Amino acid sequence: MVEGFDLGRYIGVFLEEVEEHIGNLEENLVQLERDPENQGLVQSIFRSFHTVKGSSSSMGFQRMMELAHLMENLLDGVRNKNIVVTPSLIDVLLRGVDLLKNIKDAVALEGKEPEIDIQDIVENLKVFLKRREESQSPLETPLVSERKDDSVPGEEAAISPSQKEYLVRVYLALECSMKGVRSYLVINRLQENKVEIVSTTPPLSDLESERFGQSFEIVIRTFLSEEEIRKMVESVAEVERVEIEMREETLEVREEEKEEKQMISTAEQKKTAKSLKKTVRVDVDRLDALLNLVGELVIDRARLGDTIQRLREFKELSHLRDLLADTNTHIGRIINELQMEIMKARMLPLAEVFNRFPRMVRDIARNSGKEVDFIVQGEETELDRSLLEEITDPLIHLLRNAVDHGIESREERISRGKSPRGKVLLKAYQEENSVVIMVQDDGRGLDTGKIRSKALRLGLVSQEELDKMSDREVMEFIFYPGFSTNDQVTSVSGRGVGMDIVRRNMERVNGQVSIESEEGKGTTFYLRLPLTLAIIRALLVKVDGGIYSIPLADVVEIEKVKKENTYWVNKTLTALFRGRVLSLLRLKDLLQSKKAEYFEGETVPEVLYTVVVNAARTMAGLVVDEIIGEQEIVIKSLGSYIGDVRGLSGATILGDGRVSLIVDVPSLLWKNFQMGG
Amino acid sequence: MPGRIMIVDDAAFMRMMLKDILVKNGYEVVAEASNGKEAVLKYEETKPDLVTMDITMPEMDGISAVKEIRKKDPQARIIMCSAMGQQAMVVDAIQAGARDFVVKPFKPDRVVEAIKKVLGN
């Protein structure tokens, strides 16, 4: 009947909580460095260490507990103004947090604490604690005892028998079942003995629904002594340990003040209870399956629409047709909503990714001896979770480059008349159906002169072509594979490192990257991402009898170009589009990997139906046979047996049941470009 | 510490198991009852130091029995024996005056711990 100790039941919650605390710690420590006087931050950091200490000791993870304990003590010193916040203190604390994270990761993998050596960092932490001890007068409490002390409350009580406020921390036995009722029993026991409950952490509602780990805290107010309280709480079964701390403010509070306080605390409790939304964990696969089903619905609706169109021929059925059309519109609206809801369920706030960056930027800046203010905005913007994974690496690249190469050294900045601290801004916002993420630095900017000469040297362009290119277009060269990885272009800031990968990652998810840069002023990268991957709006065109879908994201405009408005430039056919010279390319030939330009001497039709596209740093006019219209399409992969077809990104099923291939514009243009177009 | 205990449970098997645990740990089982009504009667007869009380029972359930017993003896010490998922009923029982609870399946040391703590009060 005796069950073995089942670690598995708690380890999930434990790891989740610790991870959350580690995330908060990183963020708050970095912030503390900038704002050392912020007591709220100090408190919150202290609490995180404290909680990690408590739960890791409950789980029996000694190293983790020791680390957290030491750091908690350090923070206690900061709180009492015995330890000063310095960058080196933050360094050590961050390293400690790293170690916590390593241990946590290992626990997650192996289910037990790894044999990591923590002595090094422990010594480091102790150095800071020592300093604190030395700075203290000998009369003050030694740092080892965490609680203020045990004797004072009794003495004080003897002097004035006033109510005192205590923080009671109750640790439940590990295999304790019905923790909720257990905590209720503890609180009930206290109340029975006329102990006033001020507040609980977590709030009562969470205690009741067992949303807490192995321990919880109660703030109480009472005439009773610490010992009496301890006995009372320990008389409840499955209470393993009780820690009692006297609160700073010994309370001889007047009634109204007390009431006020209580009101605040209950109001706060209510607020937290309200903000805790009810959630259900769902497997991502299930959401994918749902989205797929909605995709099928979209296709069926298109078929229905098609059938309704065909009913036009039967005049006598016109009112039935109208009814059907109404219903179809309604179904369409519902499908849209359904699709939006499922998409939302798949969305996660960018904070998931952004949160780790302050720490990273700080480390890079410190390593390169630069001073950088890192500002994050719009982290609440949401994005499909699969996209979130795709943008992480690109963002790391961009931020690293911004600090490493974009921001100048302090001296250089001063000599240029800039503020000595550099600024890096990471900002996200939604714009129509896409999310834009901006990485901006106020550093030296891109040196287009150097990019030009490099592009020429690498043979990417001819001098003639280069002369026609604007600075904006020239900047696009940094996205070429291996463009500026060598040190000769250091003043271009080596931004080529991984830039092609950034672009490739973006294009893989139908996203785009663009740059704006001004020499001496700074550089801004824009990552533009679709909200979802599965359903897109596309332009349907007819080419050689087949229907193709061109993602609307790539389409700039549709033009009917008359033959007399075309020109021969460099022996190929071009047209003017808003003042820009545009090459006209036959989509049919592009798809077959043939030369797609019209060469001088070829017959050109009287009217060219042209889809102006902008992708892969090229603008071009795709000539098609017929333009059918715009439609929402569901992307279906071509399947593994066909594999990765260059120029096509998938297929979709149209209303009439026909299959339409989806054109991958960037790769088509890129291919044509490589063929020497 | 001597302890005279009454076991209340409608399942003979459970009573037997509890009795084994208790006797092994030096307690004396002075009465057994298989429902609430019987429990109330036997409590008056034997005046045990402590009662282990099952919740779900025929005739009279454990919570009503707690209320009845406490009405007659406000000092009565009762530990509830709950199955998983009976949170709400345990809370009711505590409000009715039960001092503590143990959850089935019983772990002997938990049962003993609870009894010790309640008697030690």
Side-chain angles (χ1 to χ4, degrees):
Chain A
M1 270 289 176
V2 182
E3 289 173 342
F5 170 45
D6 184 9
L7 194 69
R9 266 179 58 203
Y10 311 101
I11 196 130
V13 189
F14 169 77
L15 290 172
E16 223 169 82
E17 270 181 8
V18 170
E19 182 164 335
E20 202 173 291
H21 281 293
I22 288 175
N24 291 344
L25 281 169
E26 286 196 327
E27 212 179 311
N28 289 338
L29 283 170
V30 172
Q31 231 185 313
L32 183 68
E33 188 175 21
R34 265 183 280 162
D35 189 5
E37 294 301 312
N38 189 332
Q39 281 303 310
L41 270 177
V42 176
Q43 285 292 358
S44 140
I45 297 168
F46 176 84
R47 274 197 303 272
S48 288
F49 281 132
H50 182 84
T51 312
V52 172
K53 179 189 79 173
S55 42
S56 55
S57 79
S58 304
M59 295 296 285
F61 298 144
Q62 281 304 319
R63 291 181 178 78
M64 211 174 202
M65 190 205 74
E66 188 180 348
L67 276 172
H69 178 67
L70 275 172
M71 293 194 274
E72 179 193 356
N73 279 345
L74 271 178
L75 258 294
D76 190 43
V78 172
R79 193 165 61 172
N80 302 332
K81 311 250 189 246
N82 290 323
I83 295 178
V84 184
V85 177
T86 58
S88 49
L89 174 74
I90 300 286
D91 264 347
V92 174
L93 286 171
L94 283 173
R95 277 178 53 209
V97 172
D98 282 345
L99 209 48
L100 284 181
K101 197 197 288 182
N102 288 345
I103 298 175
K104 182 218 81 188
D105 289 346
V107 167
L109 272 178
E110 298 159 20
K112 63 175 175 35
E113 196 172 40
E115 302 287 323
I116 293 180
D117 184 25
I118 60 167
Q119 226 32 57
D120 189 32
I121 194 94
V122 163
E123 292 308 321
N124 263 312
L125 289 167
K126 282 187 175 158
V127 169
F128 282 93
L129 279 171
K130 260 229 179 75
R131 276 188 220 156
R132 167 201 175 186
E133 252 176 37
E134 282 156 8
S135 72
Q136 272 178 331
S137 72
L139 279 174
E140 267 173 300
T141 20
L143 67 120
V144 221
S145 101
E146 222 187 298
R147 261 161 274 138
K148 286 265 135 33
D149 42 54
D150 295 322
S151 55
V152 172
E155 278 169 28
E156 267 190 12
I159 300 161
S160 78
S162 61
Q163 282 209 39
K164 292 197 184 59
E165 200 169 286
Y166 295 99
L167 177 70
V168 182
R169 201 168 297 117
V170 182
Y171 292 86
L172 298 178
L174 268 184
E175 54 281 73
C176 166
S177 33
M178 290 200 193
K179 289 188 297 181
V181 187
R182 199 49 77 191
S183 62
Y184 168 80
L185 190 58
V186 170
I187 290 166
N188 193 60
R189 182 72 39 97
L190 289 167
Q191 281 172 331
E192 269 174 16
N193 291 287
K194 306 273 182 289
V195 173
E196 184 189 333
I197 308 289
V198 179
S199 66
T200 65
T201 316
L204 277 178
S205 57
D206 285 5
L207 284 180
E208 263 169 41
S209 47
E210 305 198 353
R211 277 194 293 259
F212 63 102
Q214 279 326 109
S215 71
F216 58 96
E217 294 175 352
I218 316 170
V219 176
I220 56 166
R221 214 173 276 152
T222 180
F223 292 109
L224 299 170
S225 76
E226 201 179 303
E227 252 341 279
E228 286 170 297
I229 298 292
R230 184 185 302 280
K231 271 202 187 126
M232 206 181 287
V233 177
E234 278 177 350
S235 75
V236 174
E238 301 196 345
V239 167
E240 198 166 69
R241 201 152 51 84
V242 186
E243 283 176 13
I244 303 179
E245 279 171 43
M246 197 174 59
R247 279 307 196 78
E248 312 273 291
E249 337 91 270
T250 305
L251 288 155
E252 281 172 80
V253 202
R254 283 184 306 269
E255 278 307 302
E256 63 268 22
E257 246 182 74
K258 208 164 85 183
E259 259 162 39
E260 194 180 275
K261 268 203 165 168
Q262 263 179 306
M263 264 164 60
I264 292 170
S265 72
T266 44
E268 269 173 4
Q269 273 180 32
K270 268 188 197 150
K271 218 166 73 194
T272 37
K274 231 182 204 171
S275 65
L276 271 174
K277 286 183 199 152
K278 284 193 179 157
T279 54
V280 176
R281 274 164 200 266
V282 178
D283 196 329
V284 183
D285 288 347
R286 191 161 282 176
L287 289 177
D288 284 344
L290 270 176
L291 202 58
N292 244 327
L293 289 175
V294 173
E296 298 292 331
L297 278 179
V298 170
I299 292 169
D300 282 343
R301 191 183 95 84
R303 296 193 66 161
L304 198 57
D306 207 61
T307 316
I308 293 167
Q309 283 303 314
R310 276 193 267 161
L311 280 177
R312 267 178 203 280
E313 291 161 31
F314 307 97
K315 285 252 160 31
E316 66 278 20
L317 291 176
S318 75
H319 81 279
L320 277 180
R321 194 187 73 92
D322 289 347
L323 262 178
L324 212 52
D326 274 357
T327 317
N328 193 37
T329 315
H330 187 238
I331 292 175
R333 259 207 309 273
I334 290 176
I335 292 175
N336 276 342
E337 272 173 41
L338 196 58
Q339 186 194 324
M340 281 311 292
E341 288 301 321
I342 296 171
M343 263 168 54
K344 276 190 213 145
R346 289 178 50 95
M347 305 262 252
L348 284 174
L350 279 164
E352 298 260 326
V353 175
F354 282 12
N355 279 349
R356 69 166 97 159
F357 291 145
R359 166 75 196 278
M360 188 189 88
V361 169
R362 175 201 178 267
D363 285 355
I364 301 170
R366 220 168 127 73
N367 283 339
S368 53
K370 289 172 185 169
E371 290 172 43
V372 177
D373 285 327
F374 182 51
I375 301 154
V376 180
Q377 287 174 357
E379 64 269 41
E380 70 286 348
T381 314
E382 292 190 322
L383 202 61
D384 191 285
R385 58 183 309 143
S386 52
L387 286 170
L388 226 46
E389 284 156 25
E390 293 288 338
I391 59 161
T392 311
D393 286 345
L395 282 177
I396 290 174
H397 268 300
L398 293 177
L399 287 170
R400 187 175 286 277
N401 282 341
V403 180
D404 254 355
H405 309 296
I407 302 287
E408 313 89 330
S409 69
R410 187 187 160 88
E411 298 71 35
E412 194 180 336
R413 289 183 70 88
I414 293 172
S415 75
R416 282 170 187 264
K418 289 172 159 183
S419 103
R421 292 182 75 84
K423 198 175 103 182
V424 175
L425 173 69
L426 174 65
K427 182 179 168 180
Y429 51 93
Q430 194 170 340
E431 204 174 79
E432 288 166 15
N433 265 332
S434 44
V435 167
V436 181
I437 300 172
M438 188 173 117
V439 178
Q440 185 174 58
D441 67 65
D442 69 344
R444 48 174 77 93
L446 295 177
D447 183 342
T448 47
K450 292 236 164 120
I451 300 177
R452 278 176 198 270
S453 49
K454 173 108 193 194
L456 203 60
R457 204 166 57 244
L458 290 177
L460 293 172
V461 275
S462 65
Q463 185 66 53
E464 200 184 342
E465 282 170 302
L466 199 58
D467 291 342
K468 283 184 292 181
M469 288 173 90
S470 67
D471 279 353
R472 240 191 126 95
E473 286 170 302
V474 166
M475 285 179 205
E476 297 282 340
F477 280 117
I478 69 166
F479 291 114
Y480 280 53
F483 181 75
S484 61
T485 45
N486 80 47
D487 46 25
Q488 279 178 305
V489 268
T490 40
S491 68
V492 193
S493 58
R495 277 187 190 277
V497 190
M499 272 306 171
D500 57 319
I501 298 187
V502 171
R503 171 150 276 172
R504 217 177 309 144
N505 265 19
M506 284 302 103
E507 284 175 354
R508 195 163 62 213
V509 296
N510 290 320
Q512 291 171 332
V513 204
S514 55
I515 333 171
E516 269 172 25
S517 181
E518 200 176 329
E519 225 180 309
K521 292 245 174 92
T523 309
T524 309
F525 285 88
Y526 296 93
L527 308 185
R528 185 176 291 272
L529 297 148
L531 281 178
T532 176
L533 294 172
I535 298 176
I536 59 167
R537 293 198 71 78
L539 181 71
L540 302 191
V541 297
K542 206 175 225 170
V543 174
D544 211 9
I547 295 176
Y548 290 85
S549 307
I550 304 175
L552 266 193
D554 298 327
V555 176
V556 180
E557 208 166 314
I558 304 163
E559 286 251 337
K560 210 156 108 181
V561 181
K562 291 204 179 108
K563 189 182 174 184
E564 65 252 37
N565 295 333
T566 60
Y567 310 90
W568 296 102
V569 176
N570 289 336
K571 295 189 176 134
T572 58
L573 195 65
T574 58
L576 268 182
F577 171 73
R578 297 186 190 274
R580 278 183 67 145
V581 181
L582 206 67
S583 344
L584 297 175
L585 307 168
R586 283 169 296 215
L587 182 55
K588 176 184 163 193
D589 291 336
L590 272 182
L591 288 166
Q592 292 171 0
S593 302
K594 289 189 199 153
K595 284 254 126 223
E597 291 89 350
Y598 292 88
F599 285 97
E600 202 155 5
E602 270 182 88
T603 46
V604 174
E606 285 304 312
V607 176
L608 297 129
Y609 293 97
T610 307
V611 180
V612 181
V613 291
N614 186 4
R617 60 221 153 257
T618 322
M619 211 168 179
L622 303 181
V623 179
V624 300
D625 296 343
E626 193 184 318
I627 289 174
I628 299 170
E630 197 187 306
Q631 199 184 311
E632 204 155 68
I633 59 164
V634 181
I635 302 177
K636 301 267 175 194
S637 103
L638 289 174
S640 49
Y641 48 91
I642 303 184
D644 204 7
V645 184
R646 227 179 148 134
L648 296 176
S649 58
T652 190
I653 302 168
L654 299 174
D656 56 7
R658 275 188 294 175
V659 170
S660 164
L661 295 170
I662 302 166
V663 180
D664 179 358
V665 182
S667 83
L668 270 187
L669 294 182
W670 179 235
K671 194 159 63 170
N672 192 57
F673 191 86
Q674 281 178 321
M675 284 166 61
Chain B
M1 172 184 297
R4 301 170 62 255
I5 296 175
M6 170 166 85
I7 298 173
V8 185
D9 201 310
D10 59 333
F13 161 73
M14 277 294 168
R15 291 201 300 274
M16 203 167 83
M17 221 192 58
L18 264 174
K19 191 172 180 177
D20 281 349
I21 296 173
L22 296 179
V23 171
K24 218 176 273 173
N25 284 278
Y27 294 101
E28 184 192 352
V29 177
V30 292
E32 287 181 39
S34 60
N35 65 56
K37 241 181 197 156
E38 204 184 330
V40 178
L41 287 174
K42 287 199 172 162
Y43 186 89
E44 287 197 273
E45 272 170 37
T46 55
K47 297 275 186 228
D49 298 325
L50 187 138
V51 180
T52 71
M53 181 77 74
D54 186 26
I55 293 182
T56 328
M57 287 181 300
E59 299 277 329
M60 183 195 281
D61 67 21
I63 296 164
S64 312
V66 170
K67 284 181 190 157
E68 287 297 313
I69 293 176
R70 295 271 298 186
K71 222 186 269 167
K72 289 175 177 143
D73 178 6
Q75 301 303 315
R77 296 171 175 138
I78 305 167
I79 291 179
M80 303 308 291
C81 299
S82 155
M84 295 283 205
Q86 290 186 313
Q87 273 87 340
M89 280 179 252
V90 178
V91 169
D92 284 346
I94 292 169
Q95 279 165 354
R99 298 298 292 165
D100 214 318
F101 65 96
V102 287
V103 183
K104 294 176 198 171
F106 295 133
K107 294 168 200 148
D109 48 336
R110 294 286 144 169
V111 176
V112 174
E113 184 206 349
I115 291 176
K116 264 190 194 149
K117 282 190 166 177
V118 171
L119 285 178
N121 230 5

